[in-house]
Amino acid sequence: MASEETRTTMTSPPTDRPTENTTARPPAPRAWATRLVVVGIVLTALNLRPAITSLGALLEEVRDGLGMSGSVAGLLTSVPPLCFAVFGVTAPRLARRFGPAAVVCAGMAAIAAGLALRPFIGGTAGFLAASALALMGIAVSNVLMPVIVKRWFPDRVGSMTGLYSMALALGTSLAAAVTVPMTDALGGSWKSGLVVWAGLAAAAVLPWIPLVRARGAAPASAEQAPADARQEAPALRITRSRTAWALAVFFGLQATAAYITMGWMAQIFRDAGVAAGTAGLLLAVTMVMGVPLAFVIPRLATRLPHQGPIVVALGVCGLAGYAGLYLAPAGGAWAWAVLLGISNCAFPLALTMVGMRARTGAGVVQLSAFSQSTGYLLSIPGPLLVGVLYQHSGGWGLPLALMAGLMIPQIAVGILAGRNRTVEDELAG
């Protein structure tokens, strides 16, 4: 399997590295640093979606407060994938120059600043600009999380990706569940309900600071990674890999479904007569399904030679959930929330396949940046189109038909991306 080959590659010390430097390093700092990396990964993952789902829970209030039309609100839900596409592609270059830990640390600071500013900066343009700052931090962290997992835990890619994905799902669902009641407890202002999430992002900065300052605690592969990446990257023309393109399109279609869900699902339920607090709770149920499944699916995926069966199972759940939202949105609301939550676990599966479809560290960096940036770029029209269809049709029939229709190609390209091969071997062949 690709993971076995990666394990061999990433754990072998560089031949030009003096032996005495390796043996002279005391074990305590590395053990301490490894534990700190785990804390940093978890806190970072917790912050990669609250900026989006907290807004989804209060979208109607934000629209009223800023005077947004349905089309502009659709644009607002398209800003996350746009920022992920534009800024995510810069992550490998930044990581080579400053190191992945430093870039993630700066990303968490950008999230905290953006979330603190956006409720109070004034007007729709200011709200979008501050949101873009936060999303820039999310974008680079999105790309570099698989890289950090691969470098620090090359023999535990599945379990650490599961931990990271589980924390991401927990942060997503927590923001969806508590934003509305927390807003009510803070006086009812949507500005108060959004700004509190800046505190969680500020806390995520802290574990990365010692890692940036004490680079000697990093594993050998992490210390050498910038040089290795510079040497290997030019030889790997990722855009010529069919597997890379399949993974990028799969990433884009699952991201389309995820951001439509995060941005609009609560509104679908509210339009069906469900109370605002209950609609937010239903969105939280959808997101919280990823907490256990995001840990199980990556571990299962690394044990299978082909991830196609998992892709198909998740896609069928998505189709069933969309059909339920069309036929009985309020009557079966909890069932549809669960089914769509299962379907959204295509995200941790995609992250796991990034680690499995590349054999080298430089390959993971390039494949992660390419698949995520290209995928998020492809996902931009989806949420915007849903807003336009909703406004002009006056209902959710056409938007739900679009969501269900996109699930079919998602299944097809996911099967292609799940084949047991690596981009390095594919391009060499």
Side-chain angles (χ1 to χ4, degrees):
M1 288 179 58
S3 57
E4 296 291 335
E5 295 170 332
T6 302
R7 184 179 307 141
T8 303
T9 303
M10 295 302 295
T11 53
S12 300
T15 55
D16 59 347
R17 185 176 181 84
T19 305
E20 58 270 23
N21 287 352
T22 303
T23 56
R25 184 186 293 114
R30 178 173 293 187
W32 167 81
T34 301
R35 289 192 293 268
L36 200 59
V37 169
V38 174
V39 174
I41 288 173
V42 171
L43 284 176
T44 297
L46 285 172
N47 280 281
L48 294 183
R49 294 299 179 270
I52 303 165
T53 51
S54 62
L55 177 59
L58 294 173
L59 184 58
E60 185 171 309
E61 288 76 11
V62 174
R63 285 175 57 188
D64 293 340
L66 297 177
M68 292 183 185
S69 66
S71 297
V72 174
L75 176 63
L76 186 60
T77 59
S78 294
V79 168
L82 174 62
C83 290
F84 294 166
V86 171
F87 298 118
V89 75
T90 66
R93 183 180 301 174
L94 293 172
R96 286 195 297 269
R97 181 168 183 178
F98 302 106
V103 178
V104 172
C105 182
M108 293 299 103
I111 296 172
L115 295 185
L117 290 172
R118 75 175 180 177
F120 307 106
I121 202 168
T124 301
F127 189 92
L128 287 170
S131 295
L133 175 62
L135 293 167
M136 177 179 66
I138 297 174
V140 295
S141 302
N142 271 335
V143 172
L144 293 179
M145 280 294 99
V147 177
I148 288 175
V149 167
K150 190 84 164 187
R151 290 180 180 174
W152 281 86
F153 309 98
D155 56 342
R156 288 181 283 164
V157 170
S159 58
M160 289 306 299
T161 300
L163 178 64
Y164 153 67
S165 302
M166 186 169 63
L168 188 150
L170 180 61
T172 305
S173 57
L174 184 67
V178 307
T179 295
V180 171
M182 186 166 55
T183 300
D184 294 338
L186 293 173
S189 170
W190 60 267
K191 296 182 178 181
S192 300
L194 293 182
V195 75
V196 293
W197 297 104
L200 182 63
V205 175
L206 302 179
W208 296 108
I209 295 175
L211 291 167
V212 174
R213 298 180 63 183
R215 291 195 175 189
S221 59
E223 290 178 354
Q224 293 296 320
D228 293 342
R230 284 193 296 269
Q231 293 169 4
E232 295 181 33
L236 190 60
R237 299 187 178 183
I238 200 76
T239 57
R240 296 188 177 183
S241 167
R242 294 178 181 177
T243 297
W245 276 107
L247 186 55
V249 176
F250 177 71
F251 206 102
L253 290 173
Q254 68 80 28
T256 300
Y259 288 106
I260 289 173
T261 299
M262 285 186 280
W264 290 107
M265 198 177 84
Q267 191 65 48
I268 293 174
F269 287 126
R270 291 177 72 167
D271 287 350
V274 178
T278 305
L281 194 58
L282 286 164
L283 178 59
V285 168
T286 298
M287 300 301 132
V288 83
M289 291 302 300
V291 176
L293 291 178
F295 189 72
V296 173
I297 287 176
R299 293 170 65 89
L300 176 62
T302 56
R303 286 166 169 76
L304 294 177
H306 194 305
Q307 289 73 50
I310 305 177
V311 171
V312 173
L314 298 179
V316 169
C317 288
L319 290 171
Y322 293 137
L325 283 177
Y326 177 77
L327 296 172
W334 297 100
W336 319 141
V338 169
L339 286 170
L340 291 174
I342 296 172
S343 179
N344 278 350
C345 287
F347 175 72
L349 177 62
L351 288 179
T352 306
M353 288 196 289
V354 167
M356 297 180 69
R357 298 288 88 88
R359 182 165 45 83
T360 64
V364 173
V365 174
Q366 289 186 260
L367 182 57
S368 180
F370 174 74
S371 61
Q372 293 199 48
S373 296
T374 304
Y376 284 126
L377 186 65
L378 293 173
S379 72
I380 291 170
L384 177 59
L385 186 56
V386 166
V388 172
L389 290 175
Y390 171 57
Q391 181 173 353
H392 290 283
S393 69
W396 288 104
L398 287 178
L400 287 170
L402 173 66
M403 298 177 209
L406 291 176
M407 190 59 66
I408 305 301
Q410 177 179 321
I411 295 172
V413 294
I415 292 172
L416 294 177
R419 294 174 298 175
N420 186 17
R421 61 188 63 190
T422 65
V423 292
E424 292 92 346
D425 293 340
E426 185 178 60
L427 293 172

